[in-house]
Amino acid sequence: MAGEITETGELYSPYVGLVYMFNLIVGTGALTMPKAFATAGWLVSLVLLVFLGFMSFVTTTFVIEAMAAANAQLHWKRMENHQEEEEEDSSTASDSDVLVQDNYERAEKRPILSVQRRGSLNLFEITDRVEMGQMASMFFNKVGVNLFYFCIIIYLYGDLAIYAAAVPFSLMQVTCATGNESCGVEADTKHNDTDPCWGPLRRVDAYRIYLAVFTLLLGPFTFFDVQKTKYLQILTSLMRWVAFAIMIVLALVRIGNGHREGHPPLADFSGIRNLFGVCVYSFMCQHSLPSLVTPVSSKRHLTRLVFLDYVLILAFYGLLCFTAIFCFRGDSLMDMYTLNFARCDVVSLAAVRFFLGLFPVFTISTNFPIIAVTLRNNWKTLFHRDGGTYPWVVDRVVFPTITLLPPVLVAFCTHDLESLVGITGAYAGTGIQYVIPAFLVYHSRKDTQLALGYRTINKHRSPFRHAFWVGFVLLWAFSCFFFVTANIVLSETKV
């Protein structure tokens, strides 16, 4: 995210890349989708989910095309530098007339034999991992680059606020329920923050204690560098799949046994605002595509594999949400869906209850330091000037502090995960998923035509190559922005 070209990493097959992308997209946002589905109605939710999945696929192909264009520019510059070095070497051992003739012959031959062939075949190979920040600096002006980093920073702040609220909220739900409830509790039992948890301590007090512990344990990582290890990825991915599989199977079993409690409405437009934000957040992958796509060993059928990934993700989201909204009543669905299975009346086996109830704690806790360091580095990149360095206090204290403090304060004030996810997805998510990819592909196409010629074909160009699609994505993004804003204003006015 710091806007630099980084190492590609170890190559893997296209199908491994497909799995990695699936794991990246299906994350925390999926756990907040069932409640949003139940609130907005099953038909409206299904239509919006499919449409937003399609729009996310469109912009994913935009980012891949922009990555190929960025690689083409880097490869072309290397070829030019190599050519200049060869010419300098040859000029030392050649007569001036011979040099002029040689350069003339090369200039006549290169467009036919070199530029056209390499431009259509080799230049656009995605071999260098070019992050979105680097692409923004290549294709945008200074204002565009600053707006890009502003959008990324706001999104990462929202991400951290969601993580900082989800872990203490899950711990509060599990530990407070353990102390006050039995297996005979009714399924529709609701709690307020002011309800007692442990003796004189209220539930909100327990939540804030857990938030403080979470901040003290994971906050210090913001002040240092941290790397995600391969084994940590494998462990968290395995836990995620086990948890999702258990929830889907348990919901299907309850429905099959006649415990179908949910009767979701066909449509309830008052719930679309949060549903929109949750769905956008749940399809977010554009900012991580360079890390996922570049190491894929064979990219011949990359677009088809990405399309297959989106079809599988849509099917998975549909299965998860429909089993949830028909298994549980809409008013009993929790912000974090795993907590619906942390009750004795739903799951009798204590080990399964605690695993599902604490599942967000394990997976989110491993991601929090990585997102925090990414946000800190984006702050540093935004204010960095060529040749300048930061004082030690600014570098090691100020930037980590402004990274950690705002999301913790937001989490301290609210643990409404559905709203946090909805707002993050609806605003910053719209920018990252729609606006930035559309502008990237538009400017990359213009720059490619100017640098390499109008006949040059990007082998990884999007199937949605007509300018209409760029305009349509931008129109949709701004329409969504104004719709969500108007919906929030009208909702607050009614209150």
Side-chain angles (χ1 to χ4, degrees):
M1 281 299 176
E4 297 178 354
I5 302 172
T6 54
E7 294 295 328
T8 301
E10 185 179 350
L11 297 180
Y12 44 72
S13 72
Y15 295 102
V16 173
L18 182 144
V19 173
Y20 282 173
M21 180 176 289
F22 192 102
N23 285 338
L24 172 72
I25 296 177
V26 180
T28 313
L31 298 177
T32 61
M33 287 184 73
K35 184 177 180 180
F37 254 63
T39 304
W42 67 267
L43 182 60
V44 169
S45 299
L46 180 61
V47 171
L48 188 61
L49 179 69
V50 173
F51 181 73
L52 291 180
F54 169 75
M55 294 298 290
S56 179
F57 170 69
V58 171
T59 56
T60 295
T61 63
F62 283 175
V63 174
I64 292 174
E65 180 180 337
M67 288 168 54
N71 271 264
Q73 290 204 15
L74 294 174
H75 296 160
W76 180 248
K77 287 179 181 177
R78 288 181 192 143
M79 289 168 59
E80 285 186 329
N81 292 336
H82 182 66
Q83 173 196 336
E84 290 176 0
E85 291 175 359
E86 286 184 343
E87 289 177 351
E88 288 177 1
D89 292 340
S90 62
S91 64
T92 59
S94 303
D95 184 78
S96 59
D97 294 335
V98 176
L99 177 61
V100 170
Q101 180 67 22
D102 180 61
N103 286 341
Y104 175 79
E105 291 176 357
R106 273 199 255 178
E108 286 294 308
K109 292 178 180 178
R110 189 178 299 113
I112 299 176
L113 300 180
S114 177
V115 174
Q116 290 182 1
R117 179 174 60 83
R118 293 183 182 180
S120 59
L121 295 176
N122 299 330
L123 284 179
F124 293 94
E125 287 288 351
I126 303 175
T127 56
D128 289 346
R129 179 174 149 184
V130 187
E131 300 288 357
M132 285 189 76
Q134 178 70 12
M135 285 190 281
S137 64
M138 292 174 69
F139 300 128
F140 295 164
N141 57 23
K142 186 177 180 180
V143 174
V145 172
N146 288 336
L147 289 175
F148 164 80
Y149 277 108
F150 176 77
C151 187
I152 287 287
I153 286 170
I154 295 299
Y155 174 76
L156 292 176
Y157 267 133
D159 238 4
L160 289 178
I162 293 165
Y163 288 0
V167 171
F169 181 71
S170 297
L171 288 170
M172 175 196 71
Q173 289 291 117
V174 172
T175 56
C176 289
T178 301
N180 295 334
E181 295 178 4
S182 66
C183 288
V185 69
E186 294 296 325
D188 59 353
T189 300
K190 286 290 184 178
H191 296 284
N192 295 319
D193 284 348
T194 54
D195 291 343
C197 180
W198 313 310
L201 287 178
R202 302 169 300 170
R203 291 172 64 87
V204 68
D205 297 327
Y207 167 79
R208 289 171 178 171
I209 290 172
Y210 282 130
L211 175 61
V213 173
F214 176 84
T215 305
L216 291 175
L217 290 178
L218 296 180
F221 286 103
T222 312
F223 294 80
F224 307 99
D225 289 324
V226 62
Q227 297 290 335
K228 180 186 281 189
T229 66
K230 176 181 179 180
Y231 299 105
L232 193 60
Q233 277 192 10
I234 294 173
L235 177 62
T236 54
S237 296
L238 181 63
M239 291 179 63
R240 179 189 297 124
W241 280 107
V242 170
F244 280 126
I246 290 175
M247 289 186 291
I248 291 173
V249 170
L250 286 176
L252 287 173
V253 169
R254 280 177 61 83
I255 293 173
N257 290 337
H259 297 289
R260 175 180 166 177
E261 303 171 0
H263 300 282
L266 197 68
D268 185 351
F269 293 99
S270 63
I272 290 183
R273 183 189 77 199
N274 274 340
L275 175 67
F276 169 77
V278 168
C279 289
V280 170
Y281 187 81
S282 298
F283 281 111
M284 188 67 64
C285 70
Q286 284 74 11
H287 58 303
S288 298
L289 283 175
S291 304
L292 287 172
V293 172
T294 307
V296 174
S297 57
S298 175
K299 304 179 181 69
R300 289 181 57 192
H301 306 294
L302 191 59
T303 303
R304 296 180 187 175
L305 287 173
V306 172
F307 178 75
L308 176 61
D309 232 335
Y310 272 90
V311 171
L312 292 174
I313 290 165
L314 277 173
F316 177 80
Y317 280 164
L319 181 61
L320 179 72
C321 293
F322 273 88
T323 55
I325 62 177
F326 285 103
C327 179
F328 300 100
R329 288 208 318 271
D331 58 354
S332 69
L333 280 167
M334 307 290 289
D335 284 349
M336 193 69 67
Y337 181 49
T338 50
L339 296 175
N340 280 90
F341 298 90
R343 301 197 312 257
C344 298
D345 63 311
V346 177
V347 182
S348 59
L349 193 60
V352 176
R353 286 201 312 273
F354 279 100
F355 172 73
L356 292 177
L358 297 176
F359 162 71
V361 176
F362 301 128
T363 56
I364 291 174
S365 296
T366 58
N367 287 335
F368 185 88
I370 300 160
I371 301 297
V373 170
T374 302
L375 175 56
R376 184 200 68 191
N377 291 341
N378 274 279
W379 272 122
K380 293 167 71 172
T381 304
L382 179 61
F383 290 105
H384 185 261
R385 297 296 177 265
D386 292 338
T389 58
Y390 294 115
W392 184 89
V393 174
V394 174
D395 186 53
R396 292 295 181 179
V397 178
V398 175
F399 282 122
T401 301
I402 64 173
T403 296
L404 185 61
L405 199 57
V408 171
L409 289 176
V410 171
F412 182 84
C413 296
T414 180
H415 54 69
D416 187 353
L417 293 173
E418 187 183 12
S419 295
L420 286 175
V421 172
I423 292 172
T424 301
Y427 287 103
T430 297
I432 294 173
Q433 194 166 152
Y434 301 138
V435 179
I436 291 174
F439 278 115
L440 274 178
V441 78
Y442 175 76
H443 287 288
S444 69
R445 288 170 181 173
K446 289 182 61 178
D447 287 7
T448 300
Q449 289 176 349
L450 289 173
L452 303 177
Y454 287 89
R455 294 184 179 180
T456 306
I457 298 176
N458 187 336
K459 61 185 292 184
H460 292 292
R461 61 181 178 176
S462 169
F464 311 96
R465 59 182 65 99
H466 196 279
F468 162 80
W469 287 105
V470 175
F472 178 72
V473 169
L474 290 175
L475 179 64
W476 166 251
F478 289 117
S479 299
C480 293
F481 177 84
F482 288 118
F483 164 76
V484 172
T485 304
N487 195 283
I488 291 175
V489 171
L490 291 174
S491 299
E492 293 298 325
T493 304
K494 289 180 182 179
V495 173

